[in-house]
Amino acid sequence: MGKSDLLLELYSNLSTTGALAFSSKALVNKMLSFTDMEHAKLVVELGGGDGSITQGIIERLSPEGILLVFEINSSFCESMRKQFPQPNVRIICDSAENMDRYLAGKKADYIVSSLPFIILPKETTDEILSKSRDALSQKGKMVIMTYSFHLKRLFRRFFTHLEVKFTFRNLPPAFVMICH
Ligand SMILES: C[S@@+](CC[C@H](N)C(=O)[O-])C[C@H]1O[C@@H](n2cnc3c(N)ncnc32)[C@H](O)[C@@H]1O
């Protein structure tokens, strides 16, 4: 799938993608600057989409580090499977709310999310956030990009520590929330 096909897929599925553009390189760099991917053993990405954040994670992850990417859109999954054939990367075409089935008790060092929480059903959001909190290792962090500052209150229900950052270098400008 070329860049224009990926964008068309994004626009055609607004009710589940919740975005008009993919994350910029600047936003990806900002999100990942709050992680130490080089030393991570297990990383989970929620909402892989076109793979823009996936690419950033893979560039930093060691070959021993495992990356699980959850994505519900089968076209995006197919495209990412071609783009990322690395043996330590697994593209899972399933909802992030089922992450516990794939983690089987393993704890993640980082969970990186670009899910459109603002449009997801409340039960789905609660399930994903509660499972993410439970899936993190003791020193683990969840890094979330969002366009809505108000989601901070939602994330606070699940995490005791929350830091908010912002970048203009994305369309639209975005918040990065670091939760643990
Ligand atoms: C805003 S796009 C982000 C795409 C890309 N990661 C980026 O940063 O540009 C959100 C992605 O989350 C996916 N998504 C939505 N609900 C999901 C769910 N419950 N589980 C997994 N992926 C989901 C959508 O299909 C879409 O690809």
Side-chain angles (χ1 to χ4, degrees):
M1 251 180 148
K3 197 82 194 162
S4 52
D5 294 324
L6 288 166
L7 275 171
L8 192 63
E9 191 67 27
L10 188 79
Y11 299 146
S12 320
N13 294 283
L14 274 180
S15 63
T16 50
T17 60
L20 286 171
F22 293 112
S23 295
S24 67
K25 186 95 182 155
L27 173 59
V28 174
N29 288 340
K30 180 127 192 152
M31 291 176 80
L32 300 182
S33 72
F34 302 103
T35 68
D36 175 16
M37 285 296 166
E38 292 79 1
H39 296 104
K41 291 189 171 61
L42 178 61
V43 179
V44 176
E45 185 190 349
L46 310 181
D50 68 330
S52 45
I53 299 176
T54 320
Q55 176 70 46
I57 296 172
I58 290 172
E59 282 167 11
R60 292 161 175 84
L61 196 66
S62 81
E64 290 76 40
I66 305 286
L67 171 62
L68 305 185
V69 184
F70 288 86
E71 171 54 61
I72 49 165
N73 180 300
S74 54
S75 302
F76 286 152
C77 288
E78 203 182 310
S79 169
M80 281 193 290
R81 281 188 184 129
K82 287 195 182 122
Q83 200 187 340
F84 306 117
Q86 293 85 338
N88 60 333
V89 179
R90 188 167 164 209
I91 309 295
I92 299 169
C93 207
D94 195 357
S95 172
E97 68 204 282
N98 297 322
M99 69 174 84
D100 50 324
R101 295 187 197 162
Y102 301 86
L103 284 166
K106 291 201 187 76
K107 298 290 180 185
D109 299 291
Y110 299 105
I111 298 180
V112 182
S113 169
S114 56
L115 290 178
F117 285 117
I118 199 91
I119 58 166
L120 294 186
K122 186 187 174 302
E123 307 73 52
T124 308
T125 294
D126 285 0
E127 187 92 347
I128 293 172
L129 289 172
S130 122
K131 287 190 178 174
S132 295
R133 179 193 52 207
D134 295 347
L136 281 177
S137 68
Q138 215 177 0
K139 289 188 176 170
K141 288 182 195 165
M142 181 164 186
V143 181
I144 303 173
M145 71 74 85
T146 174
Y147 304 127
S148 166
F149 180 72
H150 299 293
L151 283 180
K152 187 176 124 176
R153 263 186 289 158
L154 167 72
F155 302 145
R156 269 206 200 287
R157 279 183 30 224
F158 295 87
F159 296 93
T160 43
H161 295 93
L162 190 143
E163 216 179 313
V164 181
K165 306 287 176 184
F166 181 73
T167 181
F168 278 112
R169 297 174 67 202
N170 190 67
L171 202 70
F175 294 94
V176 174
M177 306 206 182
I178 305 112
C179 311
H180 58 102

